[in-house]
Amino acid sequence: MARTITIDPVTRIEGHAKVLIDLADDNSVESAKMIINELRGFERILVGMEAAQMPLITARICGVCPSAHHLASVKALENAFGVTPPPAAQLQRELLYMGHFIHSHAVSLFALAGPDLIFGITGERKKRDIAAVVEAMPEVATKALRLRTLGQKLNELIGGRGVHPVTAVIGGMAVKMNDKKLSEAKAMADEAMGLYNELAPTVKELLGKMLEEMPTLAVGGFSLPSSYMGTIKDGKVNFYDGELRIVNPDGGQVAQFDVTKYTDYIVERPVDYSYTKPVFLKQPVGDNDLYRVSVLARLNLTDQMETPGAQAHLNEYKEKYGPTCHLTIMQLWTRLIELQYACEKAVAICDDVALMGEARVPAQVKAGRGVGHVEAPRGTLIHDYEIDDKGIVRQANLLVATQQNYEAINRSIEQVVELLGVDDESLLDGVEFAIRLYDPCLSCSTHAVGQMPISIQVQKNGKPVRHIGRRL
Amino acid sequence: MTEPKIKLNTEWLSVCGGCHVALVDLHEKIVDVMKVIEIQRSPLLTDEKGFPPAQIGLITGSVRTDHDREVALKMRESCDKIIAFGTCAVYGGIPGAALAHTAEDILDKVYLHNPSTDSSKGVVPNRLVPKMDAKITPLDEVIDVDLYLPGCPPHAAFIFDALMSLVKGRDPRAKEESICAKCNRVMKKSEVAEIKSVMDGMPDEDTCFLSQGYICLGSVTLNRCAAPCPQNGVVCTGCAGPMPQILTEPNRDIRTELAARMAALTKIQPMDVVDEIEKSAKSYYAYAMASGMVRNKPTFFIEKWIEQVEKV
């Protein structure tokens, strides 16, 4: 008898989800699906609004990565109107964005994945939240939370607000950088760098311990060969700007292109069981059209980083796991490397005199289409607008990171269920762990959030056989 | 003997998650909060899935699905006092702009007519997912609310004030003042005769946006943010919702109030301001249009305004 498992709801990820697992007669996993329960319909809501308001309004798609939407949106408008912001504005935006990455990666590594790292995925239930982390490792937790705070404050200092920043305007930044702000930013960036240096060895140690305890996580069973996509500038990983590069599972370059051509390379294919639209490569590599975005993907695109510490760290990682790594769990290590890069880059920007220059050039409405993108902490984010001659949005399209990882998340769930077995006590934690590795933002992926809570339903022949949930 | 801590449950409905991030953004102040409050249940911060009894229940987001409705009711039952936290809970927020469309229209745009979507198979989610409600419902149309804290998200100082007022059983100190109360820009008479788009020119840093011909919603918006936008060179877009007087008096409206104010400060004709706001009504009313206090106003014609803009 085939059976189905549901997990509802998933905790400690950012958004609402439910998981449905279908089993074959021999209890092997037939398929796993994360079901996203909600849709807000921003593609429709935005039509008819004033284009110039998009950077403010689209930030509200996601309170977890508002800075990514804010910047992708303003870049799309600048693309439409043919405006290039001055260098100081680019640097201000990047500084804001490094703050955002520091905040986001620190939350993901310490607050969300922290309990998995510290207690393993088979630990006793009820003790798996940030409070438990604080109790178990008070010093690490205090530093980690301070690091997050610094990132968010840096984001707020330049962006005007922490959640839903406002200062990126078409043509640049609304205000020029001043000395007072610079000295504050510098102090924050320096302190963040110091905290990173103190925290990184602990993360590596915990990850090492986890792999020792569950070696299967670092071998074939939890490896997912896929293609990868992310942003590259001058051959190096870049969060704010550059071209999109796709590499195949062997690490070979498939394409490198300007984001305005994204529809030539990737395609959304709706499914009837989830509001999220999964995204695939338009041209499969062999018969594999699966690709991934986010931290693992970005560091699979290149062996070059912009900053020296992150470069050395990347070398160390690649030496151990090769130039192209398909191990889903390595999203923890690669996130740590990016956290280092964000701290180093924030320090470097504060030392760049160009940051203090004029921050805005005039712009004018031009009818047409504009596409803009950034790397959100959890992967490539694309905004695409058609604008009329009155400056009103006529068509809006948003392609977010978690949609692009959706299919891979489902496959990783299948793998973890195979590894643990469906009757295992730790199934719920294991499935949540697999999802959490992607740091998914479900509010983004349907442009809707809701509950994070997960429920797992296991079914055979469409009939439920096990429900693991957390009750309402 | 130390006093037992006040228990807090939090929950999010249809949201972006930013209000919960804002709660964490109390930063250092969170230590003071934790001295008197225990966060017992929170979807982002704790693993607790049940609804244990609590003195304070903090709900972010609006109601869109049956699930949201059920959770809101459970929170009401388990908590002595409920805070509607953030603009979505209070007025519906940006997703409330869906008010202007049907569910079919939204699904069509997302799944069937979209530039990067392969819709050759005509697939629209309809299996295993809850049916989508196009309408966004503010929280107090579903359950009773004891304290309203709009803001997208509210500023840390207001969050702290709200929590402490409930802990201490006092009234919140937050005042019913507009963004202007916290904005350092100076209002002055000008010769400006035309409305400017936010893209036109470089606004002066010290002069009120209205005096310069830019439509800033600061004077008609409740201050729950400490005015970060006008202080950082950006006009207010009204994310904390309109001033209470505008909401409660049927014939007052943000466009007429702004028109009168701009006409007094500049040479701009009041009707020009009204026309401009109606033309981009979806942006100007985005945050609060799902609230009955706005949508039921005798002078609010969102469908008509949108139709005029959207027809080619």
Side-chain angles (χ1 to χ4, degrees):
Chain A
M1 277 274 286
R3 39 183 213 151
T4 301
I5 305 182
T6 322
I7 305 191
D8 183 10
V10 189
T11 41
R12 283 181 291 123
I13 56 165
E14 334 240 21
H16 271 266
K18 180 165 103 181
V19 172
L20 189 66
I21 299 165
D22 274 298
L23 298 182
D25 286 337
D26 63 356
N27 277 356
S28 62
V29 180
E30 220 157 53
S31 74
K33 300 179 185 82
M34 178 167 73
I35 297 163
I36 311 287
N37 282 327
E38 208 182 311
L39 171 81
R40 288 181 297 177
F42 269 92
E43 287 89 339
R44 183 66 188 94
I45 295 176
L46 299 178
V47 174
M49 288 187 176
E50 218 183 331
Q53 300 286 358
M54 288 300 104
L56 302 180
I57 292 190
T58 61
R60 268 77 184 190
I61 290 170
C62 181
V64 176
C65 40
S67 308
H69 285 282
H70 185 57
L71 295 178
S73 177
V74 81
K75 287 178 72 183
L77 298 173
E78 284 164 352
N79 175 252
F81 301 158
V83 193
T84 309
Q90 301 253 32
L91 286 169
Q92 273 199 47
R93 289 179 187 177
E94 284 196 271
L95 184 56
L96 176 166
Y97 208 37
M98 293 308 127
H100 178 63
F101 261 78
I102 293 168
H103 143 79
S104 181
H105 277 3
V107 169
S108 177
L109 274 173
F110 298 101
L112 305 178
D116 298 326
L117 277 168
I118 295 171
F119 309 116
I121 51 174
T122 49
E124 186 193 333
R125 282 231 55 86
K126 272 238 163 198
K127 280 182 74 183
R128 309 178 59 83
D129 52 30
I130 182 68
V133 174
V134 173
E135 208 172 288
M137 303 185 91
E139 202 193 331
V140 169
T142 308
K143 285 178 184 166
L145 293 174
R146 174 71 186 156
L147 180 59
R148 185 212 84 90
T149 292
L150 286 166
Q152 184 74 332
K153 284 190 168 177
L154 183 56
N155 177 93
E156 179 175 350
L157 180 74
I158 311 297
R161 311 179 75 184
V163 176
H164 305 326
V166 296
T167 49
V169 292
I170 302 162
M173 294 293 276
V175 281
K176 234 179 106 169
M177 193 72 182
N178 61 40
D179 290 339
K180 184 172 170 284
K181 264 194 196 173
L182 178 66
S183 73
E184 283 177 45
K186 215 169 150 40
M188 288 176 195
D190 288 343
E191 191 187 342
M193 189 75 252
L195 285 171
Y196 167 83
N197 288 330
E198 291 174 41
L199 287 164
T202 310
V203 177
K204 281 200 218 169
E205 200 180 300
L206 287 169
L207 179 60
K209 206 175 109 220
M210 189 177 206
L211 295 176
E212 246 169 58
E213 279 165 17
M214 287 198 74
T216 43
L217 292 175
V219 293
F222 207 44
S223 164
L224 183 61
S226 67
S227 295
Y228 297 94
M229 187 175 86
T231 303
I232 286 287
K233 193 176 183 184
D234 305 325
K236 299 176 176 110
V237 172
N238 199 295
F239 297 155
Y240 172 72
D241 207 17
E243 290 195 311
L244 287 169
R245 177 183 283 179
I246 299 173
V247 298
N248 64 29
D250 298 321
Q253 183 170 318
V254 173
Q256 187 163 323
F257 55 96
D258 187 85
V259 67
T260 51
K261 309 221 163 51
Y262 75 99
T263 53
D264 293 346
Y265 296 93
I266 51 180
V267 59
E268 298 175 276
R269 297 206 186 103
V271 289
D272 63 1
Y273 52 81
S274 177
Y275 281 118
T276 289
K277 290 184 280 183
V279 193
F280 299 91
L281 294 179
K282 219 165 183 177
Q283 306 290 332
V285 176
D287 58 358
N288 189 356
D289 57 4
L290 182 72
Y291 77 99
R292 291 193 270 185
V293 295
S294 186
V295 288
L296 183 71
R298 287 192 285 258
L299 301 192
N300 272 340
L301 299 175
T302 176
D303 53 9
Q304 288 184 63
M305 300 297 288
E306 237 184 320
T307 57
Q311 179 70 65
H313 198 170
L314 183 69
N315 296 347
E316 178 197 338
Y317 159 77
K318 295 228 168 191
E319 216 157 274
K320 195 146 186 194
Y321 290 102
T324 312
C325 176
H326 301 302
L327 293 171
T328 303
I329 193 165
M330 285 307 144
Q331 302 200 74
L332 293 173
W333 194 350
T334 45
R335 196 166 289 126
L336 186 68
I337 299 172
E338 284 198 352
L339 179 59
Q340 180 176 18
Y341 165 62
C343 294
E344 284 186 298
K345 176 128 182 169
V347 171
I349 294 171
C350 291
D351 287 334
D352 190 334
V353 288
L355 176 64
M356 308 307 287
E358 287 301 328
R360 188 172 173 184
V361 294
Q364 262 171 349
V365 167
K366 208 170 91 189
R369 179 167 173 229
V371 185
H373 89 293
V374 292
E375 286 294 318
R378 40 198 64 72
T380 311
L381 167 67
I382 300 171
H383 280 217
D384 175 358
Y385 310 118
E386 294 254 13
I387 300 158
D388 70 14
D389 55 1
K390 296 187 185 70
I392 300 291
V393 174
R394 288 288 175 187
Q395 174 151 278
N397 192 31
L398 308 157
L399 221 134
V400 307
T402 300
Q403 276 183 266
Q404 299 170 77
N405 278 336
Y406 179 76
E407 193 62 24
I409 290 173
N410 287 341
R411 303 275 286 277
S412 297
I413 296 171
E414 290 166 11
Q415 290 180 328
V416 88
V417 176
E418 287 284 356
L419 282 176
L420 294 172
V422 279
D423 297 314
D424 195 274
E425 288 271 312
S426 55
L427 184 68
L428 181 68
D429 290 327
V431 169
E432 292 194 2
F433 168 72
I435 297 173
R436 212 175 290 125
L437 284 173
Y438 289 87
D439 188 22
C441 182
L442 307 181
S443 49
C444 271
S445 74
T446 48
H447 322 315
V449 161
Q451 253 6 31
M452 210 166 268
I454 206 183
S455 94
I456 302 189
Q457 178 156 323
V458 185
Q459 61 182 35
K460 245 181 191 176
N461 298 327
K463 295 217 173 59
V465 293
R466 184 176 175 202
H467 186 99
I468 314 171
R470 280 129 196 213
R471 308 248 142 241
L472 277 177
Chain B
M1 207 177 92
T2 51
E3 296 238 338
K5 287 187 184 178
I6 303 276
K7 291 193 162 64
L8 171 75
N9 286 356
T10 85
E11 182 52 85
W12 55 19
L13 310 177
S14 179
V15 286
C16 76
C19 283
H20 270 74
V21 177
L23 200 59
V24 183
D25 283 350
L26 283 167
H27 298 310
E28 292 78 13
K29 280 255 183 205
I30 200 124
V31 179
D32 296 333
V33 171
M34 301 297 258
K35 277 183 197 150
V36 286
I37 288 177
E38 176 198 341
I39 301 178
Q40 178 175 243
R41 137 186 240 287
S42 168
L44 192 63
L45 303 171
T46 69
D47 242 2
E48 173 65 56
K49 286 295 152 256
F51 289 84
Q55 284 96 329
I56 307 175
L58 185 157
I59 302 180
T60 72
S62 54
V63 176
R64 190 164 211 177
T65 64
D66 290 344
H67 179 266
D68 293 340
R69 204 171 289 270
E70 192 181 337
V71 168
L73 290 167
K74 293 235 156 97
M75 282 289 283
R76 182 67 270 185
E77 282 164 20
S78 60
C79 305
D80 299 342
K81 298 275 181 191
I82 290 286
I83 312 180
F85 187 105
T87 298
C88 290
V90 179
Y91 303 119
I94 289 278
L99 175 75
H101 311 291
T102 61
E104 291 69 34
D105 187 7
I106 292 171
L107 293 170
D108 178 81
K109 204 77 174 176
V110 175
Y111 300 100
L112 300 174
H113 291 94
N114 175 286
S116 53
T117 299
D118 174 2
S119 36
S120 58
K121 295 194 179 121
V123 175
V124 172
N126 56 10
R127 195 166 65 87
L128 309 178
V129 288
K131 207 167 157 351
M132 198 186 108
D133 195 352
K135 223 184 85 201
I136 294 285
T137 310
L139 189 61
D140 69 357
E141 292 180 27
V142 175
I143 59 169
D144 286 340
V145 166
D146 300 290
L147 195 146
Y148 294 88
L149 180 54
C152 187
H155 184 274
F158 293 98
I159 299 174
F160 190 71
D161 175 48
L163 290 174
M164 287 304 141
S165 72
L166 289 177
V167 167
K168 296 186 174 150
R170 60 162 168 84
D171 283 340
R173 301 210 168 97
K175 295 185 195 130
E176 281 188 13
E177 58 189 15
S178 74
I179 304 298
C180 302
K182 288 284 173 226
C183 177
N184 291 334
R185 290 172 179 267
V186 181
M187 274 186 175
K188 48 188 161 195
K189 280 261 204 190
S190 81
E191 300 299 308
V192 173
E194 278 187 5
I195 296 170
K196 292 190 190 125
S197 130
V198 291
M199 285 168 58
D200 291 339
M202 304 288 163
D204 176 78
E205 280 183 31
D206 305 313
T207 308
C208 172
F209 280 119
L210 299 181
S211 305
Q212 300 183 61
Y214 295 99
I215 298 181
C216 171
L217 298 191
S219 63
V220 291
T221 301
L222 183 67
N223 168 36
R224 289 294 177 266
C225 58
C229 298
Q231 302 292 68
N232 282 287
V234 182
V235 295
C236 169
T237 53
C239 74
M243 290 293 286
Q245 308 87 291
I246 295 176
L247 288 169
T248 49
E249 292 174 34
N251 291 313
R252 290 178 73 175
D253 186 274
I254 61 170
R255 65 194 193 285
T256 45
E257 302 254 326
L258 269 176
R261 203 158 287 138
M262 283 186 88
L265 286 168
T266 65
K267 297 261 182 325
I268 296 168
Q269 295 303 309
M271 269 323 286
D272 290 350
V273 178
V274 169
D275 285 348
E276 181 66 27
I277 292 180
E278 288 180 3
K279 198 186 82 187
S280 305
K282 222 174 163 185
S283 334
Y284 286 109
Y285 289 92
Y287 292 93
M289 72 166 83
S291 163
M293 289 183 290
V294 174
R295 90 177 172 251
N296 298 332
K297 274 185 189 289
T299 55
F300 187 69
F301 304 108
I302 190 75
E303 285 88 354
K304 190 184 96 186
W305 298 330
I306 288 174
E307 200 195 314
Q308 281 170 355
V309 172
E310 291 195 11
K311 72 163 184 254
V312 183

